[in-house]
Amino acid sequence: MKHGLVMEGGAMRGLFTAGVIDILMENGIEFDCAVGVSAGAAFGCNYKSGQPRRAIRYNLRFAKDKRYCSWRSMIKTGDLYGAEFCYHEVPEKLDLFDFRAYEQSPMEFYVVCTDVETGQPVYRKCRNMDRENMEWLRASASMPIVSRVVELDGRKLLDGGISDSIPLRFMESTGCERNVVVLTRPRDYRKKNGKHGGFVKLMLKKYPKLVKAMENRPRMYNGELKYISEAEKAGRALVIAPDEPLPAGHIEHDTDVLLETYRRGRLKGMEMLDAVRDFLGTEEKE
């Protein structure tokens, strides 16, 4: 039986996920496959490379660095989160990503992006984390308006959360029969309906199907939550979610807030550790 890990996005709320998965890694929990969306991909790839605590380490280090996330970066490069700095300089020079360990790990790792011309999700299996696949990570986490469209394999891509926020169905389609799903919103959260304003439509007028997908996102997201709940009742999924709204937002420079968000993830990971072991049928390692 194949076991999967599904990681929702949520920008800096993703540090909750980082805390959860660090606990799982530190306690020897293994998965056959994992899929991450947006921050779930950017932070979740450290599972395959076997690097617990890396995500919180570099986020604390660079939280106030204007090259990492700033309006100056937005004006200068077109990306709120600096593309070259975040996805190349940090992992290649400043807080080294273990590219070799990632490639040697048997875990399959997927990222989700949204094709801006179709409004549909695109799933990428990242067998290694070379420069091209780092760009797929960037595309998955590139929020509309504050990010440039990323062009890869003849596609124009942005944030995967627009079209498939919590890809449990996709993970099941890979053959994973039992999946741990890490959410960055409390269990009772539901996304509210709402039309995007004229500014958003003006900025994205070249991509009407993307705008439509953004408008449809509440229905898609809430439908996915319903599917996850049904899967959990059927014994196919185990959900790990914060008990209350997380303090970190999409943009967060306060290191105390970032650390608290991560701490809550670690606490929830410890709380759920035995349940995860039981669900996956694994034993505690000596």
Side-chain angles (χ1 to χ4, degrees):
M1 180 181 293
K2 290 176 66 176
H3 299 153
L5 174 65
V6 179
M7 292 169 284
E8 183 184 11
M12 286 305 158
R13 291 197 313 274
L15 286 175
F16 173 85
T17 300
V20 171
I21 65 176
D22 281 358
I23 289 293
L24 300 185
M25 278 192 277
E26 290 165 8
N27 285 276
I29 303 298
E30 298 178 352
F31 295 92
D32 299 290
C33 305
V35 60
V37 182
S38 192
F43 300 159
C45 63
N46 294 295
Y47 211 121
K48 183 170 167 61
S49 67
Q51 293 179 277
R53 298 179 185 259
R54 179 175 175 270
I56 186 59
R57 185 174 62 238
Y58 73 73
N59 273 283
L60 292 178
R61 179 180 174 186
F62 299 115
K64 298 179 182 179
D65 192 314
K66 295 187 184 302
R67 296 170 297 172
Y68 188 65
C69 175
S70 68
W71 292 111
R72 189 180 79 174
S73 173
M74 174 70 188
I75 294 168
K76 187 176 180 179
T77 71
D79 292 298
L80 183 66
Y81 286 87
E84 187 65 27
F85 185 77
C86 293
Y87 294 96
H88 301 293
E89 191 167 347
V90 169
E92 294 169 13
K93 299 177 182 179
L94 301 177
D95 194 308
L96 298 180
F97 184 77
D98 196 332
F99 296 95
R100 184 177 180 182
Y102 180 98
E103 189 168 359
Q104 292 179 341
S105 167
M107 174 193 280
E108 296 178 353
F109 188 79
Y110 299 85
V111 303
V112 187
C113 302
T114 298
D115 185 317
V116 301
E117 296 182 318
T118 67
Q120 296 299 309
V122 179
Y123 306 95
R124 168 77 171 190
K125 183 177 181 179
C126 299
R127 293 179 173 82
N128 56 43
M129 202 46 72
D130 59 11
R131 190 173 183 88
E132 181 181 6
N133 281 313
M134 276 290 182
E135 287 294 286
W136 279 90
L137 279 184
R138 176 167 80 91
S140 181
S142 291
M143 297 179 287
I145 308 296
V146 295
S147 307
R148 292 171 294 162
V149 169
V150 182
E151 298 191 31
L152 292 164
D153 288 355
R155 298 177 184 271
K156 296 180 178 181
L157 306 167
L158 282 175
D159 191 343
I162 298 167
S163 55
D164 192 355
S165 298
I166 318 168
L168 175 59
R169 285 187 180 90
F170 170 76
M171 196 85 286
E172 290 179 338
S173 77
T174 69
C176 290
E177 299 175 65
R178 290 198 173 186
N179 294 282
V180 174
V181 181
V182 184
L183 303 179
T184 58
R185 301 277 198 183
R187 281 175 171 267
D188 61 356
Y189 174 80
R190 295 296 180 272
K191 197 170 286 293
K192 296 180 180 179
N193 292 323
K195 295 286 185 179
H196 286 281
F199 176 74
V200 172
K201 291 182 179 180
L202 178 64
M203 293 295 292
L204 299 173
K205 64 181 180 180
K206 290 171 58 178
Y207 308 115
K209 291 185 179 178
L210 176 67
V211 174
K212 185 69 174 177
M214 291 170 67
E215 291 178 343
N216 185 58
R217 192 180 180 201
R219 185 169 66 87
M220 175 273 294
Y221 185 89
N222 295 336
E224 290 190 333
L225 289 176
K226 181 180 178 182
Y227 182 82
I228 290 166
S229 178
E230 292 169 351
E232 190 172 34
K233 290 175 183 176
R236 306 194 318 270
L238 177 68
V239 175
I240 300 177
D243 295 323
E244 57 187 11
L246 296 169
H250 277 80
I251 303 171
E252 186 59 68
H253 300 294
D254 189 326
T255 54
D256 289 337
V257 173
L258 295 175
L259 192 58
E260 174 62 16
T261 302
Y262 174 76
R263 185 189 71 85
R264 292 188 191 184
R266 288 188 65 89
L267 289 174
K268 180 56 68 170
M270 283 300 301
E271 178 186 319
M272 295 292 293
L273 188 57
D274 287 342
V276 171
R277 288 195 181 107
D278 290 343
F279 176 71
L280 299 179
T282 57
E283 297 181 357
E284 183 175 357
K285 293 185 178 181
E286 296 291 338

